[in-house]
Amino acid sequence: HMSRNETDVTADPFAPVIAAVDAMLTSLADEEQEDLEKKDQCESDRMTNTQEAKMTSKEIDTNTETIDRLTASIEAANKQVEEINQQITDLNAEKKAADEQRAAEAAEFSTNKQDDEAAVGLIETAMGVLTDFYQNEGLALLQKQEPFVAAGEAPTPPPSTWDTGYGGAKGESNGIVAIMELIKQDIEKDITKATNNENTAISEYDTLCADIASTISSLNTSKGELEGKIASDETSMGTEKGERTTNQGSLASTLAFLKSIAPGCDFIAVNFDIRLKNRQAEMDGLQKAKAILEGATFE
C-alpha cells in the first residue's frame, strides 16, 4: 500500500501543460500561415480581377466605338442609297418625257411629210394639166404679133405675161408653171430639211436613251455595292453587340467577385499587422512559459 508521497516521481507533472502549450503554438503558427495565405490570395485576386475589369471595360469601350462607327457608316450608306434611288427616279422621268416628246415629234413629222408629199403631188398634177391644156390648144405655138405702132417709133415691148393675138395667156401659163415649180421645189426643200431634223432628233434621242440607261446601270451597280456594305456592316454590328453583351456580363461577374471578397479582404488588409503583432506576442509568452516549465525542477 503506497502512501501519497510514494507516487511515481518519473512522471512529469508539467507534460500535459507543455503539450497544451505546443498545441497552441502550432495552432497559432497555422493561423499565421493562414492569414498570410489569405492576404496573398486577396492581393492576387484583387490585382488580377481589377486588371481584368480594366481590360474588359476597355474592350466594352472599343465595342461601343465600333458600334457607333458602324451605325454612322450604315446611316451614311442608306442616305446615299436614297439619293441614288431619287436620281434613278428622276432619270426614268426624264426618259419618259423624252419618249413622249419623241413620239409627238415623230407623229408631227409623219403628218407634215404626208401633207407636203400630197401637196407636191397636187402641184405636179396641176402643172401637168396646165401644160397639156396649152399644148393641146396649140396656144404654145401661136406666133407673137407686134402691136401697131406709129412709123419710126420703137415698138412697145410686149407685157411679159401676155401674148397679143388670140389672147391666149401663154406667157402667163409659163409664169404659173414656173411659180408652181418654185413652190414644188420649196416644199421638197422643206421635206428634206424636216427629214434631216427628224434624223438628228432620232439620233439625239437614241444618245440620250443610251446615256440614261448607262447612268442608271452604273447607279444600280453603286447601289448594289452600298447595299452589300450595309449588309456586312449590319452583320459586324450584330457580332460587335454580341461581344459587348458578353463583355458586359464578364465585367459584371468580375465586379461581383471583387465585391464578394471585399469584406474579408478588407478585414485581413486592415488587421493583418495587428493580428501578426498580437500573435507574435502571444507566441513569445507561450514559449517563455514553456521554457520556465521545462527548466523547472521538481523536488
Side-chain angles (χ1 to χ4, degrees):
H1 188 108
M2 289 166 94
S3 71
R4 283 187 72 105
N5 293 352
E6 290 170 320
T7 43
D8 187 356
V9 179
T10 58
D12 182 354
F14 299 120
V17 182
I18 288 169
V21 169
D22 282 340
M24 281 173 81
L25 284 166
T26 304
S27 153
L28 285 166
D30 287 349
E31 193 183 275
E32 184 169 332
Q33 184 59 33
E34 211 176 276
D35 269 14
L36 189 62
E37 278 171 13
K38 193 171 178 193
K39 180 171 174 276
D40 287 348
Q41 185 66 50
C42 276
E43 284 167 0
S44 150
D45 280 351
R46 277 187 155 162
M47 195 176 72
T48 310
N49 285 279
T50 304
Q51 201 56 36
E52 204 172 294
K54 264 192 208 160
M55 296 285 287
T56 311
S57 190
K58 250 193 202 152
E59 278 171 29
I60 291 168
D61 288 346
T62 307
N63 294 146
T64 302
E65 278 163 26
T66 307
I67 289 165
D68 290 347
R69 183 176 57 74
L70 289 168
T71 304
S73 167
I74 290 167
E75 269 175 26
N78 276 323
K79 195 158 175 270
Q80 279 176 283
V81 169
E82 265 175 47
E83 281 164 12
I84 287 174
N85 284 335
Q86 188 53 56
Q87 281 173 282
I88 291 172
T89 304
D90 293 346
L91 286 166
N92 282 325
E94 191 185 333
K95 168 82 166 72
K96 187 163 177 272
D99 290 346
E100 285 166 2
Q101 189 189 340
R102 179 83 291 273
E105 284 171 358
E108 190 187 357
F109 168 73
S110 172
T111 308
N112 289 346
K113 191 180 174 189
Q114 277 175 347
D115 291 350
D116 286 349
E117 282 171 348
V120 169
L122 281 173
I123 290 169
E124 283 172 345
T125 306
M127 280 162 69
V129 169
L130 278 174
T131 310
D132 286 356
F133 173 75
Y134 284 111
Q135 279 172 352
N136 292 345
E137 292 298 317
L139 296 173
L141 306 174
L142 280 176
Q143 302 273 320
K144 277 190 173 181
Q145 293 171 355
E146 297 300 328
F148 171 78
V149 287
E153 287 179 10
T156 53
S160 59
T161 50
W162 292 95
D163 287 318
T164 46
Y166 164 73
K170 189 171 87 67
E172 188 185 279
S173 95
N174 279 350
I176 291 174
V177 171
I179 288 168
M180 282 179 156
E181 180 62 44
L182 283 175
I183 293 171
K184 179 188 155 190
Q185 282 171 4
D186 199 38
I187 294 172
E188 283 170 343
K189 262 186 218 154
D190 283 351
I191 292 175
T192 305
K193 192 177 166 194
T195 305
N196 289 339
N197 288 348
E198 173 71 356
N199 289 337
T200 304
I202 289 170
S203 90
E204 281 171 0
Y205 166 79
D206 289 343
T207 305
L208 178 69
C209 289
D211 281 355
I212 290 174
S214 94
T215 307
I216 288 176
S217 159
S218 81
L219 284 169
N220 278 322
T221 304
S222 305
K223 185 174 147 183
E225 283 164 8
L226 283 165
E227 283 169 346
K229 186 174 174 295
I230 290 168
S232 90
D233 280 353
E234 280 173 346
T235 306
S236 304
M237 189 145 106
T239 308
E240 206 65 37
K241 281 182 171 170
E243 277 176 20
R244 183 169 68 175
T245 304
T246 307
N247 285 333
Q248 283 168 335
S250 86
L251 177 63
S253 68
T254 304
L255 293 174
F257 175 72
L258 280 169
K259 195 177 167 189
S260 75
I261 63 169
C265 287
D266 286 349
F267 174 81
I268 202 75
V270 172
N271 295 298
F272 182 77
D273 290 338
I274 302 166
R275 281 166 68 89
L276 187 64
K277 280 197 190 104
N278 290 348
R279 201 181 296 114
Q280 294 281 304
E282 198 179 338
M283 285 167 94
D284 284 352
L286 285 168
Q287 266 155 351
K288 277 184 189 138
K290 188 181 160 185
I292 291 168
L293 287 172
E294 280 176 339
T297 50
F298 183 67
E299 305 278 327

